[in-house]
Amino acid sequence: MHCSNCGSYIAPGVRFCSGCGSPANDPEATRIARVGGGPPVRLDRESDDDELEEIIFTVRPTLIFIKLGYALAMLGAIAFVILLALIEVPVYISIPLALSLLLIPAYYHLKRNMVRYTLTDSKVEIDTGLIARTTRNIPLTKIQDVTVSASIPQRLLGFGDLLIDNASEVGGTTVLHNISQPRHHADLLLRELRRRP
């Protein structure tokens, strides 16, 4: 075997070239051709399973309430500035006070961004947290039932809850709260369940 960088001979079992120090190619690496005739992709035996998983969808709770909260906070801020101007409060005091109303929807926006639901071809992942994250994995083999739940206002606004019954040791029902197009995501999950042997 020869180095792909400098062309020096590399003895079997050696991991780095003695001439240039570049890593030696693993002769047992598998070469897989991409669909569509693209260049081949190398997958080493030491690669972890995360690289082999295909992500079907990633979704967060809906932004409808966050956008509505920002709009109401802006209207409230404008009304607050006008009210404070009528009682002759200086502008340099009234504007920062009015803009502080935006902290309320910003808090809920941050809270919404701390939750992410991901479906791969082998599991459902529920990530929670902002700096310190917690990931809960539900293998598709443990899922027993998928239910879509939406109240009348949720149906009118196009979002709902996805309830996943699983047979893991913890058991119970896992709820994906307030996701957009819950029926579509349930269909994708059921399709992956049907593909499982």
Side-chain angles (χ1 to χ4, degrees):
M1 180 168 64
H2 293 281
C3 177
S4 60
N5 191 24
C6 68
S8 301
Y9 175 75
I10 300 175
V14 176
R15 300 195 71 159
F16 297 96
C17 175
S18 59
C20 67
S22 65
N25 292 332
D26 185 5
E28 296 182 9
T30 309
R31 297 175 79 59
I32 301 174
R34 285 189 183 168
V35 178
V41 178
R42 290 175 55 90
L43 293 176
D44 296 332
R45 287 185 177 188
E46 298 172 356
S47 65
D48 52 49
D49 293 338
D50 292 339
E51 294 177 336
L52 301 177
E53 285 184 344
E54 177 185 352
I55 295 176
I56 309 303
F57 68 77
T58 298
V59 67
R60 293 184 187 272
T62 184
L63 266 173
I64 292 173
F65 299 117
I66 307 299
K67 292 177 181 177
L68 183 63
Y70 278 119
L72 291 174
M74 286 301 295
L75 291 175
I78 292 169
F80 194 59
V81 167
I82 292 171
L83 179 69
L84 291 177
L86 291 176
I87 57 174
E88 298 180 4
V89 174
V91 175
Y92 62 87
I93 294 175
S94 63
I95 290 180
L97 284 176
L99 289 179
S100 66
L101 289 175
L102 291 173
L103 293 176
I104 298 169
Y107 166 75
Y108 287 103
H109 196 173
L110 182 66
K111 193 174 173 183
R112 176 236 181 222
N113 285 341
M114 291 193 304
V115 178
R116 182 179 65 211
Y117 308 116
T118 304
L119 171 67
T120 68
D121 56 358
S122 63
K123 66 185 179 236
V124 175
E125 290 180 359
I126 302 165
D127 292 324
T128 55
L130 184 65
I131 297 172
R133 294 193 71 83
T134 302
T135 302
R136 180 172 176 214
N137 294 312
I138 304 170
L140 292 183
T141 55
K142 300 287 185 182
I143 294 177
Q144 295 176 329
D145 188 29
V146 178
T147 306
V148 175
S149 172
S151 63
I152 293 173
Q154 285 178 323
R155 289 186 65 193
L156 292 174
L157 295 173
F159 69 95
D161 298 336
L162 192 62
L163 289 78
I164 301 172
D165 290 329
N166 61 73
S168 64
E169 292 177 6
V170 177
T173 301
T174 303
V175 182
L176 311 186
H177 293 283
N178 296 331
I179 61 172
S180 299
Q181 302 175 337
R183 186 173 297 269
H184 170 69
H185 292 99
D187 290 341
L188 291 174
L189 176 54
L190 290 170
R191 186 175 68 192
E192 287 304 311
L193 289 173
R194 284 193 298 270
R195 289 182 182 174
R196 304 299 295 174

